[in-house]
Amino acid sequence: MTLSLLGLMRPALCRSLVPMVRSPQLVVISRVQLLLPNIFHQNMVPPAASCVRFYATKKSKAKAAKGQASKVNINSSLVEDIISLEETKEDMAAVLTTLKDDFSRNLSIRTSPGALDHIVVSTADGKFPLNQLGQISMKSPQLIVVNMTGFPEAVAAATRALRESSMKLNPEVDGTIIRVAIPKVTREHRENLAKLAKQFGNKAKESLRRVRSNAITQVKKAKDTVSEDTIRLVEKQVGQMADSFAADVDKQLTTKTKELLG
């Protein structure tokens, strides 16, 4: 009896299942519904398909959060009465330039006469670069000689400047001649240079934080003349600039560390 009933219902069932299969939702119909069609109305939607809830994945939540934290790009001319964003950017760029100079002058593994050019000598007449007071030359890969014949009175000051430099040198004086032995490039020496590179990197980040703090302090002084929303946008812009330069500092430090450690 049941099989005969199913045979009669087959065409109607095929017509009703076609739109269900083509729809994007998957509808499950139990055997009870097939065997007892009179209990269910033709247009009744099975409970399993009556409510479908989609949950956000971690990736979609992350994308949404990223969208909320969108970057701010303020036209500097519109807030020039509050702060000069161009000058702030230049101050931060100067920090990065100083870091690069520190790396090239103090953390070079290859020895050359120019390795001592950055050393500043304090004399009674003022501060002068070492290469302006003496003639620097290479005698061997591990020995640099500084001829102080032109300024013999500055020999003591130059020797002190060499000894107190970050290069950890131990100069020897012979009249107006200063001999500077360059440490052999050992693994320990490379690691010490890498530590020094990290110190320069931390110093650069401190300088960036100082520039950022000074800029935000200046912005807050205009709270009586501009809206709070404007203040927040400018602060966010300054923060983005500082974060961008801090990322550049990290890149420079990573590259230099790899170079030093080999």
Side-chain angles (χ1 to χ4, degrees), residues 210-242:
R210 187 161 51 251
V211 174
R212 176 179 181 173
S213 178
N214 292 340
I216 290 179
T217 299
Q218 181 179 347
V219 170
K220 288 183 177 179
K221 290 180 180 179
K223 63 181 180 180
D224 295 333
T225 57
V226 297
S227 66
E228 293 183 1
D229 290 340
T230 302
I231 296 292
R232 282 195 295 268
L233 288 175
V234 176
E235 288 179 354
K236 190 172 182 179
Q237 176 84 11
V238 172
Q240 287 175 182
M241 292 164 55

Side-chain angles (χ1 to χ4, degrees), residues 43-218:
N43 296 327
M44 181 181 292
V45 179
S50 61
C51 181
V52 179
R53 185 173 182 179
F54 297 95
Y55 293 90
T57 62
K58 290 184 179 180
K59 183 179 291 187
S60 62
K61 289 181 179 179
K63 288 182 179 179
K66 187 176 181 180
Q68 292 175 358
S70 57
K71 290 186 177 181
V72 175
N73 190 9
I74 301 175
N75 189 335
S76 58
S77 62
L78 298 179
V79 295
E80 58 184 4
D81 294 338
I82 305 173
I83 187 175
S84 174
L85 292 176
E86 292 298 327
E87 289 183 4
T88 302
K89 186 176 182 179
E90 290 175 0
D91 291 341
M92 292 182 181
V95 172
L96 187 62
T97 301
T98 300
L99 176 67
K100 293 178 180 179
D101 290 342
D102 287 337
F103 280 174
S104 61
R105 291 175 177 177
N106 300 302
L107 303 177
S108 178
I109 295 178
R110 297 180 181 179
T111 306
S112 66
L116 304 181
D117 289 349
H118 70 284
I119 293 180
V120 178
V121 181
S122 297
T123 68
D125 297 325
K127 295 182 178 181
F128 303 93
L130 180 61
N131 60 356
Q132 290 185 9
L133 300 176
Q135 183 180 359
I136 305 174
S137 60
M138 287 282 298
K139 292 301 180 182
S140 70
Q142 274 74 46
L143 181 63
I144 296 179
V145 174
V146 184
N147 189 336
M148 299 290 295
T149 303
F151 296 90
E153 68 278 6
V155 171
T159 303
R160 183 170 57 254
L162 287 165
R163 187 173 289 111
E164 294 176 354
S165 71
S166 58
M167 299 178 69
K168 297 183 179 181
L169 303 173
N170 187 23
E172 296 180 358
V173 180
D174 183 10
T176 57
I177 302 297
I178 303 175
R179 293 184 175 85
V180 184
I182 304 300
K184 187 177 180 180
V185 181
T186 61
R187 184 65 184 178
E188 181 182 1
H189 181 59
R190 288 176 178 271
E191 291 176 352
N192 289 334
L193 290 178
K195 291 178 182 178
L196 187 58
K198 187 174 182 179
Q199 292 177 11
F200 283 129
N202 291 336
K203 180 181 176 182
K205 287 186 177 181
E206 289 177 4
S207 298
L208 287 175
R209 285 193 290 268
R210 187 161 51 251
V211 174
R212 176 179 181 173
S213 178
N214 292 340
I216 290 179
T217 299
Q218 181 179 347

